[in-house]
């Protein structure tokens, strides 16, 4: 199971995202590239970068900070930002990003298809949000699990193999029932599922590993030292093959 650190960038800085729907973000470091280097030194083999300003503004915002971060490490980096055009995808790839993460809705499936045709399915991943109902790039568009699985099958048909699910494990009730949702998506959509949000303990990582989840993205749990990255990699991600990322 891949263990992937997340770096959230706001106003050029690395921040720790607030809880729930809070817009408050706590400063972690003025230098995202130093944080990236720190995770690389702790044996991370891949990095997930979120441009929070870009996601809010529907436009890539922290390009300079992202560029400096990518050039500071030797491991692959993927970018999740407000990317809605082929030109923006191309710009991020030209900066050295390994993969671009795109939000998904019924209305932008054609854009995803164009991105795959232009840059290759291995350079594109798909992101959905689980909190407040399954959501894609449109906050007003919610998917039932069945509808979402049908949409994911269309994504798989394009050649995309990676689905990043954010917030599913933060849904109400408890971790375990929502883990069943993750397993159903994984089983029926035939995608490599990467989960983020709501993961706070090594025990939860163990449950995800045993469920056959392809990977996890860790953010706050690392910055709050509830999970030590090097330990998690040793337990679940040792011997990762670089080409598989």
């Amino acid at each position: 199971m891949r263990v992937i650190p997340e770096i959230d960038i706001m106003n050029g800085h690395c921040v720790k995202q607030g809880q729930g729907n809070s817009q408050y973000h706590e400063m972690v470091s003025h230098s995202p590239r130093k944080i990236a280097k720190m995770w690389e030194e702790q044996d991370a083999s891949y990095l997930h970068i979120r441009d929070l300003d870009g996601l809010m503004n529907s436009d890539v915002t922290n390009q300079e900070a992202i560029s400096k971060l990518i050039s500071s490490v030797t491991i692959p980096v993927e970018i999740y930002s407000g990317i809605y055009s082929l030109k923006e995808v191309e710009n991020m790839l030209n900066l050295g990003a390994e993969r671009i993460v795109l939000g998904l809705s019924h209305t932008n499936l054609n854009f995803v298809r164009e991105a795959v045709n232009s840059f290759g399915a291995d350079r594109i991943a798909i992101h959905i949000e689980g909190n407040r109902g399954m959501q894609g790039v449109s906050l007003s568009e919610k998917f039932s699990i069945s509808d979402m699985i049908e949409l994911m099958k269309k994504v798989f048909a394009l050649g995309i193999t990676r689905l990043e699910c954010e917030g599913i494990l933060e849904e109400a009730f408890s971790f375990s029932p929502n883990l069943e949702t993750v397993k159903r998506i994984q089983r029926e959509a035939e995608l490599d599922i990467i989960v983020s949000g709501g993961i706070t303990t090594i025990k939860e990582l163990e449950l995800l590993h045993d469920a056959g989840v392809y990977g996890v993205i860790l953010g706050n749990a690392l910055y709050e030292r509830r999970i030590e990255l090097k330990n998690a990699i040793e337990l679940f991600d040792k011997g990762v093959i670089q080409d598989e990322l």
Side-chain angles (χ1 to χ4, degrees):
M1 183 176 74
R2 315 307 179 219
V3 179
I4 304 169
E6 176 177 81
I7 298 176
D8 288 345
I9 300 178
M10 177 174 278
N11 296 324
H13 309 306
C14 176
V15 300
K16 180 169 72 71
Q17 191 170 27
Q19 297 297 318
N21 298 331
S22 172
Q23 295 300 309
Y24 173 75
H25 296 80
E26 179 182 338
M27 176 76 72
V28 173
S29 172
H30 292 293
S31 177
R33 66 186 178 193
K34 288 184 179 179
I35 300 300
K37 195 66 181 174
M38 177 183 73
W39 294 142
E40 182 179 35
E41 290 171 351
Q42 294 186 30
D43 295 337
S45 57
Y46 202 82
L47 293 174
H48 176 82
I49 310 303
R50 287 201 306 176
D51 175 4
L52 295 180
D53 299 300
L55 290 170
M56 288 188 290
N57 300 329
S58 300
D59 189 21
V60 179
T61 304
N62 289 287
Q63 184 166 320
E64 182 179 356
I66 292 170
S67 178
K68 290 179 178 178
L69 185 156
I70 292 174
S71 64
S72 71
V73 295
T74 61
I75 57 177
V77 172
E78 69 176 20
I79 306 297
Y80 179 43
S81 181
I83 298 175
Y84 298 105
S85 72
L86 295 180
K87 184 62 177 177
E88 290 172 325
V89 174
E90 183 179 19
N91 287 343
M92 288 294 101
L93 291 175
N94 286 341
L95 288 181
E98 177 75 13
R99 184 177 281 108
I100 305 302
V101 184
L102 302 177
L104 183 66
S105 72
H106 289 288
T107 57
N108 81 330
L109 187 60
N110 283 337
F111 168 55
V112 174
R113 182 181 293 108
E114 289 173 355
V116 167
N117 290 339
S118 297
F119 307 106
D122 60 329
R123 309 302 297 275
I124 304 296
I126 292 300
H127 174 277
I128 61 166
E129 291 191 24
N131 47 338
R132 302 177 304 282
M134 295 287 185
Q135 297 175 336
V137 294
S138 172
L139 296 181
S140 63
E141 182 176 21
K142 296 185 178 181
F143 312 127
S144 69
I145 295 176
S146 296
D147 286 345
M148 194 272 291
I149 287 173
E150 289 306 307
L151 190 57
M152 290 303 102
K153 289 179 179 178
K154 294 179 181 179
V155 167
F156 181 75
L158 297 178
I160 294 174
T161 60
R162 177 173 293 194
L163 171 65
E164 298 183 359
C165 300
E166 179 184 353
I168 286 181
L169 301 178
E170 295 174 325
E171 292 288 333
F173 307 116
S174 70
F175 185 98
S176 296
N178 296 311
L179 182 56
E180 293 303 313
T181 298
V182 172
K183 288 193 284 189
R184 179 183 170 188
I185 295 169
Q186 182 173 250
R187 180 177 64 251
E188 296 188 33
E190 299 183 273
L191 294 167
D192 294 331
I193 304 297
I194 297 179
V195 180
S196 66
I199 304 166
T200 59
T201 67
I202 287 292
K203 179 60 178 178
E204 289 169 347
L205 288 178
E206 184 180 349
L207 290 171
L208 288 163
H209 176 269
D210 292 347
V213 170
Y214 180 80
V216 294
I217 295 172
L218 299 179
N220 283 8
L222 297 179
Y223 297 110
E224 295 170 0
R225 298 186 180 278
R226 288 178 285 175
I227 296 175
E228 295 293 332
L229 178 63
K230 197 163 188 175
N231 182 42
I233 290 173
E234 182 71 29
L235 289 171
F236 304 108
D237 195 7
K238 203 65 175 178
V240 61
I241 300 174
Q242 193 67 43
D243 290 346
E244 292 182 1
L245 292 165

